Amino acid sequence: MIPESERQQIVDLIRREVVPAIGCTEPIAVALCTARAAELLGMPPEKIAVRLSANILKNAMGVGIPGTGMIGLPIAVALGALIGRSEYELEVLRDVMPEAVARGRAYIDEKRICIGLKEGTDEKLYIEIEAEAAGHRAVAIIAGGHTRFVYLERDGLVELDERTPASGAAVESDVPLSLQRVWDFAMTAPVDELRFILETRRLNKAAAEKSFAGEYGHCVGRTLRRERELQVIGDSVFSRILSYTSAACDARMAGAMIPVMSNSGSGNQGIAATLPVVVYAEETGADEERTIRALTLSHLTVIYIKQSLGRLSALCGCVVAATGSSCGIVYLMGGGYAQTVAAVKNMIANLTGMICDGAKPSCAMKLTSGVSTAVVSALMAMDGHCVTPVEGIIDEDVDKCIRNLTDIGREGMNETDRLVLDIMTNKC
């Protein structure tokens, strides 16, 4: 058993990292930072300068902004300035209405917003907003986490300064984890302390079901439920896992005003960590306790891997999130820790290297690839098949395997990240 004080630390960690979000978290974080700068200013900004790290820019260029019917950063910035409330955090734009969108369009047309890369920062997640009006100036900076303000200033008066050279390395003091510790916590913590995780099931399943009823993005989830597609892949637990997961992503990337439960700052990671486990649990008649423990195992595995990978990287987040759901499915299949280790190794052997080329509607396809691999990895693990240490980057020690994955995503793929951004920003 994990001591009670340490157990509470882990519960608090999950509560910090698994939170509701409306819209893609990168443009929403920019809207949040803009809202805080406007609040500091005390009046609607006349001009806004937005300076972003490359990863934020990459993930904010191609996604819909909730409630607007528009894509990209300018409308997110405008609405953050005009109607955003920083107290809502990742739901900062939940009060958006058609009248506000019209004001936001006018704000953009008046050329009040300037967006560019922040020079001289090594931060993967960095947002700096400088707002001006009536001779006054306010600055707000988010770094290291999507809701983590590190600097606030108005007219030279500094209200907050927690900037550090590497604030992206740890948003909060990381709770020390290993895969064994993740497993022990998920299996032994009193179920009443974990019951809050069921909110991930409610929010993310509702998002998928709303998506089935509409036209969102590339309609990957809905396509997988059509008669022709079912004749190819079958109407099975597997096909429903794929369709529910991709459907929720369809709606989110298209900018639907639908909240999802995120994980480690990403709604897509929250979706991929939740819905494969939920669908498998429901289809196999798992009771509430097993569902709670499976969801906890999935989400905490994602949090653990993201501790060393970082908030944003060149590695697609669905690799991490689907690894979590593979662990949850193994548990629901009756597997133990040894099978969970095998599933993680199988996932890392397969999906390492899937690039992140920004948040966009086609992310639903990547989630489908990730969760299909999650199911296959779980099935292989339950049949006693595990990728061996002589193959590729797999190590005997599962935690070393995870470090190999995150080292590649955090350090090894930096040049890939730069090239992807260059391609994205220089299209004809």
Side-chain angles (χ1 to χ4, degrees), residues 59-106:
N59 279 349
M61 290 172 61
V63 289
I65 306 303
T68 69
M70 299 174 68
I71 288 173
L73 279 167
I75 191 63
V77 172
L79 290 175
L82 296 171
I83 57 96
R85 296 179 63 177
S86 64
E87 66 197 76
Y88 293 166
E89 295 198 323
L90 293 180
E91 297 179 287
V92 61
L93 298 184
R94 73 185 187 197
D95 291 339
V96 67
M97 301 292 285
E99 179 273 335
V101 176
R103 289 172 59 204
R105 287 179 183 272

Side-chain angles (χ1 to χ4, degrees), residues 90-397:
L90 293 180
E91 297 179 287
V92 61
L93 298 184
R94 73 185 187 197
D95 291 339
V96 67
M97 301 292 285
E99 179 273 335
V101 176
R103 289 172 59 204
R105 287 179 183 272
Y107 200 86
I108 295 167
D109 291 342
E110 291 162 2
K111 310 293 185 186
R112 296 181 181 273
I113 301 168
C114 178
I115 299 171
L117 280 171
K118 174 67 177 180
E119 301 294 337
T121 181
D122 294 327
E123 292 277 6
K124 300 283 189 179
L125 197 167
Y126 182 93
I127 302 164
E128 179 181 314
I129 305 294
E130 182 179 352
E132 298 180 38
H136 296 281
R137 172 182 172 273
V139 177
I141 298 175
I142 285 175
H146 290 80
T147 62
R148 182 176 183 253
F149 287 95
V150 298
Y151 187 79
L152 300 171
E153 174 209 320
R154 186 182 192 273
D155 291 337
L157 180 63
V158 176
E159 295 188 13
L160 173 73
D161 190 354
E162 295 180 355
R163 293 172 295 179
T164 62
S167 60
V171 177
E172 301 278 349
S173 297
D174 281 340
V175 176
L177 294 174
S178 65
L179 191 65
Q180 180 72 66
R181 189 171 170 83
V182 168
W183 172 268
D184 291 345
F185 173 83
M187 296 303 108
T188 63
V191 72
D192 284 344
E193 292 182 10
L194 307 177
R195 199 172 299 278
F196 68 91
I197 205 72
L198 289 176
E199 185 68 2
T200 67
R201 176 179 68 179
R202 185 188 72 80
L203 274 188
N204 293 346
K205 188 178 179 187
E209 289 173 345
K210 288 177 183 176
S211 183
F212 288 138
E215 286 276 346
Y216 297 106
H218 297 300
C219 296
V220 178
R222 204 169 73 172
T223 296
L224 292 173
R225 300 308 301 154
R226 289 177 177 151
E227 183 177 352
R228 179 183 59 192
E229 283 71 19
L230 291 176
Q231 287 176 353
V232 174
I233 62 176
D235 188 4
S236 63
V237 178
F238 182 62
S239 66
R240 284 190 282 279
I241 285 173
L242 300 187
S243 62
Y244 268 80
T245 305
S246 54
C249 182
D250 283 329
R252 179 174 175 269
M253 292 289 94
M257 188 61 83
I258 298 172
V260 301
M261 195 67 81
S262 66
N263 183 305
S264 303
S266 167
N268 283 349
Q269 286 170 189
I271 289 167
T274 301
L275 286 173
V277 176
V278 167
V279 173
Y280 190 86
E282 292 180 349
E283 294 287 335
T284 58
D287 63 24
E288 187 173 84
E289 178 174 345
R290 289 187 66 77
T291 300
I292 288 170
R293 295 196 184 282
L295 284 168
T296 301
L297 176 61
S298 178
H299 278 279
L300 190 55
T301 298
V302 176
I303 292 167
Y304 166 45
I305 299 174
K306 291 291 287 186
Q307 282 184 340
S308 57
L309 179 62
R311 296 283 167 168
L312 299 175
S313 75
L315 185 70
C316 177
C318 86
V319 175
V320 177
T323 300
S325 62
S326 188
C327 295
I329 290 170
V330 162
Y331 167 70
L332 291 171
M333 288 177 171
Y337 179 67
Q339 289 76 28
T340 299
V341 167
V344 170
K345 291 181 179 181
N346 293 341
M347 289 292 295
I348 292 172
N350 193 335
L351 284 181
T352 297
M354 181 184 283
I355 65 167
C356 171
D357 56 342
K360 61 216 175 296
S362 59
C363 285
M365 298 168 67
K366 291 193 176 186
L367 260 67
T368 302
S369 297
V371 299
S372 63
T373 302
V375 175
V376 172
S377 294
L379 291 168
M380 287 178 60
M382 292 302 294
D383 275 350
H385 298 294
C386 177
V387 178
T388 65
V390 301
E391 301 175 65
I393 65 169
I394 300 306
D395 193 275
E396 187 66 40
D397 181 342

